[in-house]
Amino acid sequence: MAELAAVVFDLDDTLFDHSGSAARGFGTWLATFHGPATPDLTAAWFELQDLHFAAWRDGLVSMAEQRRRRIGGLLELLDRPPPDPPGLDALWGDYFTAYRSGWQRFDDAEVALDLVAAAGLRTGILTNGPDELQHDKLAVIGLTGRVGPVLTAESLGRAKPDSRAYAGLCAALGLDPATILYVGDDYELDVVGARAAGLRAVHLDRHGTGPAGERDRIASLHGLAAHVA
């Protein structure tokens, strides 16, 4: 096996606690015009996120349109008539303010980065989010300049699991795919996709919901030590 040269991370729900921030932000925002965020409504919000963000990732809609569809889908569930596009944009802005106010990194992110640095390995981030948003997250959670290069689906023109996104990562690092270990929480995008492109991969399975037969699985980034030793 080729000698390991770099460890590259996904961002959302790997280093950055997107789901926790989004759930807290959703609850704060929803209370301003509807009421408490029940578990069913919160689950529905994440389902709308997955559905419409995937459409953006696949190039079917613009970023603004997927956000409008998420807001519109929620209003439909609440039996509220949707406003015009500027009104949807305003509601998204209110949600985003609440979401951003709770941004934080996972406690084990610092441990993982220190571990990789101590091993003398290079780092990077490959994320499916838009460029400006993902860099903003890194700045807020204090990781700007700590991990790099930072490559996004927007900057590459390709999103995971497209092998061309991973090829863009390898080109940016100037490394052979077999020398790169990719770490992410989404099994299909971050593990299956990375391996199909020739990279090594570890599944960060924080909630224990991944495939039972996956051997390269860790429950937290503390477990990364066994894979970079």
Side-chain angles (χ1 to χ4, degrees):
M1 182 180 291
E3 184 176 358
L4 187 64
V7 177
V8 176
F9 298 90
D10 171 50
L11 180 57
D12 292 333
D13 288 328
T14 297
L15 297 175
F16 166 68
D17 185 9
H18 162 70
S19 292
S21 301
R24 291 187 294 272
F26 177 71
T28 299
W29 170 65
L30 192 68
T32 64
F33 70 92
H34 175 74
T38 65
D40 285 347
L41 279 176
T42 302
W45 179 245
F46 281 103
E47 290 170 4
L48 289 165
Q49 167 195 273
D50 293 344
L51 173 65
H52 297 299
F53 191 83
W56 172 80
R57 186 186 69 216
D58 295 340
L60 302 177
V61 298
S62 67
M63 179 58 70
E65 180 59 24
Q66 70 89 15
R67 289 169 174 169
R68 290 168 187 155
R69 292 184 181 187
R70 285 165 65 180
I71 298 293
L74 176 68
L75 294 176
E76 184 176 351
L77 290 174
L78 300 178
D79 292 322
R80 292 173 176 263
D84 57 12
L88 292 171
D89 292 343
L91 284 170
W92 174 266
D94 293 340
Y95 161 71
F96 184 80
T97 297
Y99 165 53
R100 191 179 187 277
S101 69
W103 282 358
Q104 61 186 36
R105 66 189 183 198
F106 286 107
D107 292 341
D108 54 9
E110 188 75 26
V111 172
L113 296 178
D114 286 346
L115 175 71
V116 174
L121 301 172
R122 296 170 62 186
T123 63
I125 286 177
L126 176 62
T127 167
N128 273 354
D131 198 62
E132 182 177 357
L133 176 61
Q134 302 304 75
H135 281 280
D136 189 24
K137 290 174 183 175
L138 289 170
V140 170
I141 65 175
L143 292 184
T144 297
R146 291 285 312 280
V147 194
V150 179
L151 303 171
T152 69
E154 186 176 41
S155 63
L156 290 170
R158 307 290 177 184
K160 301 176 297 182
D162 191 320
S163 62
R164 290 169 292 186
Y166 285 103
L169 165 66
C170 296
L173 289 171
L175 294 174
D176 184 270
T179 68
I180 301 172
L181 176 67
Y182 190 75
V183 183
D185 69 291
D186 188 304
Y187 189 74
E188 293 300 323
L189 301 184
D190 300 329
V191 179
V192 176
R195 288 174 180 163
L199 287 74
R200 310 180 203 183
V202 170
H203 184 210
L204 176 58
D205 189 11
R206 294 188 183 277
H207 305 292
T209 57
E214 175 55 52
R215 293 187 303 173
D216 292 324
R217 175 174 59 180
I218 56 178
S220 79
L221 291 174
H222 292 281
L224 192 58
H227 297 272
V228 301

